[in-house]
Amino acid sequence: IKKEQVTFIVATGVHSPHSAEQNREIFGEEIDNNYNFTHHDCDQDLVDLGELSTGSQLKINKKVAAADFVITTGVILPHYMAGFSGGRKSILPGVAGRESIENNHAMMVKVIADKPELNENPISQEMFEAAEKVGVDFILNVVTNSSREIVQVCAGDYRRAWEEGIDISAAM
């Protein structure tokens, strides 16, 4: 694969894009200087991938939806709404449209009230459904400790690799 064929889409969700300095800090100068980067904008350049089982429409970044191969990266940590970060969160909320993100996050009230097990967490379930609709091919996630040191690298199938990572994170 030629460098020109690779695009890094920074999964910002509803947040502001990184500065050039933040990009270099996160990805390193070599990658930043040699690859095409774009920051997701949750309000434009979206494609509708249809309705999710929750009734929400899934709108996703056009470049992600059109990609031949989708690799997501991230950090697996406990997360107050989704159970754990990483994995499927790179898609929803990462590269989703604002309304898709807001509908997903609106389920927070139910999660806080009911405190469901992870496999019954509606926020997490919808995130998995979105990742499946997009067709995530591979993930590369890390698990970090309280000192932000990498203790495990998890790579492979978007669900299995992520589940291995949450087992390690939960044990810590």
Side-chain angles (χ1 to χ4, degrees), residues 7 10 19 22 27 55 58-59 75 92 114 140 150 152 169:
T7 300
V10 182
S19 67
Q22 287 172 313
F27 299 104
L58 178 62
K59 292 187 180 175
V75 178
L92 177 62
D114 297 347
L140 177 61
I150 295 172
Q152 181 72 34
S169 183

Side-chain angles (χ1 to χ4, degrees), residues 75-92:
V75 178
I76 299 172
L77 298 166
H79 189 274
Y80 68 104
M81 284 191 323
F84 286 87
S85 63
R88 74 270 183 258
K89 280 189 89 250
S90 293
I91 301 299
L92 177 62

